């Protein structure tokens, strides 16, 4: 559920305000750390439009990977601790998918790191999994560095 500060930032971004203007307008009346987090976590509307197709491609890859993991989890056929443990990865993937579809910086960061760490799991050591994971690493890294350049981040 979006926070009130996040909703307010989104409305101002949609009106054409840049992040520096929003920071100047809201820094005295809101919690500064929370405001700074939400402000730096949101992408600009022009970046959303520019990278929309690439973002949906990344979301489709993640959805395919998550569906595959869910089908594997449900194929065990019994409700036990291993079934519950096998649902951890799909649940995390669903959260990351939500963040990516909302164009949040944290979603791209999580996906980049988690995809890289997934390469270490033995179950992902077949060619199809390696290709999918490398694709997710590359695309999430590209989108992160294109939509959230470090020099444009707002600081205290």
């Amino acid at each position: 559920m979006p926070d009130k500060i996040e909703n307010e930032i989104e409305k101002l971004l949609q009106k054409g305000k840049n992040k520096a203007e929003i920071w100047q307008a809201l820094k005295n009346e809101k919690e500064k750390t929370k405001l700074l987090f939400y402000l730096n976590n949101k992408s600009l509307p022009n970046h959303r439009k520019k990278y929309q197709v690439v973002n949906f491609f990344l979301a489709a890859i993640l959805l395919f990977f998550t569906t595959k993991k869910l089908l594997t989890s449900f194929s065990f056929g019994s409700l036990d601790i291993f079934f519950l443990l096998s649902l951890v990865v799909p649940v995390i993937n669903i959260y990351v998918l939500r963040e990516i579809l909302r164009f949040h910086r944290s979603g791209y960061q999580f996906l980049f790191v988690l995809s890289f760490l997934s390469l270490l799991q033995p179950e992902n050591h077949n060619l199809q999994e390696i290709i999918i994971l490398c694709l997710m690493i590359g695309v999430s890294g590209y989108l992160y560095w294109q939509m959230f350049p470090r020099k444009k981040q707002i600081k205290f």
Side-chain angles (χ1 to χ4, degrees), residues 41-115:
N41 199 38
K42 287 285 204 185
S43 63
L44 297 172
N46 61 345
H47 285 151
R48 291 179 202 165
K49 189 171 280 192
K50 183 177 180 183
Y51 298 109
Q52 184 176 16
V53 174
V54 179
N55 193 63
F56 286 142
F57 174 70
L58 179 63
I61 294 171
L62 183 58
L63 185 63
F64 170 76
F65 195 70
T66 304
T67 305
K68 186 175 178 190
K69 294 290 182 185
L70 275 171
L71 289 174
T72 303
S73 297
F74 286 114
S75 69
F76 292 141
S78 65
L79 184 61
D80 57 0
I81 190 72
F82 296 112
F83 172 72
L84 294 176
L85 287 175
S86 68
L87 290 177
V88 171
V89 171
V91 168
I92 292 171
N93 284 352
I94 290 169
Y95 169 75
V96 171
L97 182 63
R98 175 185 171 266
E99 291 295 301
I100 286 173
L101 289 174
R102 296 177 72 203
F103 292 91
H104 285 177
R105 181 178 75 157
S106 57
Y108 301 105
Q109 289 173 326
F110 286 147
L111 186 59
F112 183 82
V113 171
L114 293 174
S115 296

Side-chain angles (χ1 to χ4, degrees), residues 14 18 23 25 32 34 39 46 56 58 64-65 78 89 91 103 106-107 114 127-128 131 137 144 154:
Q14 293 299 327
N18 65 33
W23 171 251
K32 287 186 179 183
K34 203 174 191 181
L39 198 55
N46 61 345
F56 286 142
L58 179 63
F64 170 76
F65 195 70
S78 65
V89 171
V91 168
F103 292 91
S106 57
L114 293 174
L127 186 60
Q128 180 187 17
I131 291 171
I137 291 168
Y144 174 75
I154 305 294

